């Protein structure tokens, strides 16, 4: 298994073999099949819409972000791919830099609502190191973004670290904070695979009807999402005491994965969203371009 994406200069990695998963999309309700295939160094992570004429490619990059309503959608021309964050988090967490991601529809399978299924797929395929270096992503100065009472910030640091806070008006969730940083062993007890990947997406029972009327969460169910009401969790048990905030941190890792790897920064988010995650990724990319590593 490859090294974890620590953010430091290191070699790149891809899968040792192809691996496939199938499942229903959270918002579209469409069942798709995804094949993860090895790719040469410097390819990056590239979605391939195999169901469309000429099989257009959609790069998993910041510039491809289209809309961020309750998930992150990427676009290249007329080709789109939605709810990419869980797979991208698994690829970042297990240090897979280069990959073709064939998909025969518009949305990634939700699987069990976490990134665990993708971690298991990557572990099944295995990874191979690629000698080409992957430069570290550094910040010249702190970055802070705010939207109402939600905010996200990134502070230059020697190694990646992420801290997330949430605040919901349902007692079963309430206030939660969680902090995590990549480990040298991607399967250690406090690694991404063990501490973050199993955390499932969640929703509030009193919001479900409104979301469905907007054409969202057509593929959501009690089998692939935790649901919380004012009386408590509808489908317990939880996998962690703080599973909701761990899942938000999972989403953040996936959205920052559009940068290629985690930046050398302490990223702190409070009540943030995919929109703020993507905006921070864009700001970090601009900062890195304005002040590349070694610049003075």
């Amino acid at each position: 298994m490859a090294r974890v994406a620590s953010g430091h200069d290191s070699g790149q990695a891809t899968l040792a073999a192809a691996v496939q998963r199938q499942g229903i999309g959270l918002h579209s309700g469409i069942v798709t099949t995804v094949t993860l295939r090895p790719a040469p160094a410097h390819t990056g992570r590239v979605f391939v819409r195999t169901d469309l004429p000429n099989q257009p490619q959609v790069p998993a990059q910041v510039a491809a972000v289209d809309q961020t309503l309750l998930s992150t959608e990427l676009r290249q021309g007329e080709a789109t791919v939605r709810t990419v964050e869980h797979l991208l988090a698994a690829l970042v967490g297990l240090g897979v830099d280069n990959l073709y991601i064939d998909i025969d529809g518009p949305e990634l399978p939700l699987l069990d609502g976490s990134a665990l299924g993708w971690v298991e797929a990557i572990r099944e395929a295995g990874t191979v190191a690629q000698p080409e270096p992957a430069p570290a992503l550094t910040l010249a100065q702190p970055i802070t973004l705010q939207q109402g009472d939600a905010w996200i910030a990134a502070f230059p640091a020697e190694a990646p670290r992420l801290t997330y806070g949430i605040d919901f008006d349902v007692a079963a969730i309430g206030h939660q904070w969680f902090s995590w940083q990549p480990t040298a062993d991607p399967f250690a007890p406090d690694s991404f695979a063990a501490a973050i990947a199993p955390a499932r997406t969640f929703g509030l029972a009193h919001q479900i009807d409104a979301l469905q009327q907007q054409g969202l969460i057509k593929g959501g169910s009690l089998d692939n999402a935790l649901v919380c009401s004012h009386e408590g969790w509808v489908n317990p048990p939880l996998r962690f005491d703080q599973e909701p905030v761990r899942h938000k941190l999972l989403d953040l890792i996936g959205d920052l994965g559009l940068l290629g790897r985690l930046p050398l920064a302490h990223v702190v988010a409070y009540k943030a969203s995919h929109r703020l995650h993507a905006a921070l990724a864009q700001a970090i990319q601009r900062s890195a371009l304005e002040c590349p590593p070694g610049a003075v």
Side-chain angles (χ1 to χ4, degrees):
M1 180 57 66
R3 85 291 176 272
V4 69
S6 65
H8 290 288
D9 286 308
S10 61
Q12 302 176 32
T14 187
L15 290 188
V19 65
Q20 195 171 81
R21 289 293 184 273
Q22 185 182 68
I24 192 168
L26 171 61
H27 296 297
S28 65
I30 296 174
V31 174
T32 57
T33 299
V34 171
T35 303
L36 310 180
R37 296 188 287 120
H42 300 300
T43 299
R45 305 167 188 125
V46 179
F47 292 93
V48 182
R49 282 289 302 270
T50 59
D51 59 313
L52 298 180
N54 302 317
Q55 301 192 355
Q57 296 186 349
V58 183
Q61 298 175 352
V62 173
V65 173
D66 187 27
Q67 61 98 0
T68 54
L69 179 61
L70 298 182
S71 68
T72 297
E73 183 175 77
L74 307 178
R75 175 182 291 275
Q76 184 70 35
E78 296 302 314
T80 61
V81 185
R82 188 169 191 178
T83 315
V84 299
E85 57 270 19
H86 298 174
L87 171 57
L88 292 182
L91 296 173
V92 171
L94 299 189
V96 180
D97 302 286
N98 303 299
L99 194 70
Y100 291 115
I101 307 162
D102 295 345
I103 179 169
D104 62 353
E107 185 174 20
L108 272 289
L110 184 59
L111 302 181
D112 72 346
S114 75
L116 190 58
W118 297 118
V119 166
E120 292 169 345
I122 294 166
R123 197 168 193 178
E124 176 184 323
T127 61
V128 292
Q130 296 170 306
E132 291 82 355
L137 187 60
T138 60
L139 270 67
Q141 58 189 12
I143 298 170
T144 302
L145 302 171
Q146 184 174 3
Q147 181 183 16
D149 65 345
W151 53 266
I152 191 167
F155 305 94
E158 294 183 355
R161 185 176 189 85
L162 300 103
T163 299
Y164 217 110
I166 58 175
D167 185 0
F168 284 82
D169 64 353
V170 289
I173 301 178
H175 313 284
Q176 297 184 10
W177 281 93
F178 191 77
S179 189
W180 176 83
Q181 62 184 130
T183 57
D185 177 357
F187 295 101
D190 56 349
S191 67
F192 174 83
I196 306 299
R200 293 161 291 176
T201 191
F202 62 98
L204 303 180
H206 62 273
Q207 296 180 348
I208 289 177
D209 287 346
L211 293 174
Q212 291 175 333
Q213 290 172 8
Q214 296 176 51
L216 299 168
I217 63 170
K218 295 177 181 176
S221 74
L222 295 180
D223 293 325
N224 58 28
L226 288 168
V227 177
C228 190
S229 74
H230 287 290
E231 287 72 40
W233 290 101
V234 174
N235 52 341
L238 273 62
R239 294 174 176 171
F240 305 101
D241 289 340
Q242 295 180 309
E243 187 165 349
V245 73
R246 291 183 193 231
H247 184 80
K248 291 292 291 183
L249 199 146
L250 186 162
D251 282 345
L252 174 60
I253 293 170
D255 289 335
L256 293 179
L258 297 171
L259 292 165
R261 56 178 47 201
L262 296 177
L264 293 177
H266 185 181
V267 177
V268 186
Y270 177 68
K271 298 176 66 174
S273 60
H274 289 293
R275 179 180 177 183
L276 275 176
H277 299 170
L280 180 68
Q282 292 165 348
I284 290 173
Q285 187 171 70
R286 286 195 299 271
S287 174
L289 291 172
E290 292 168 358
C291 187
V296 295

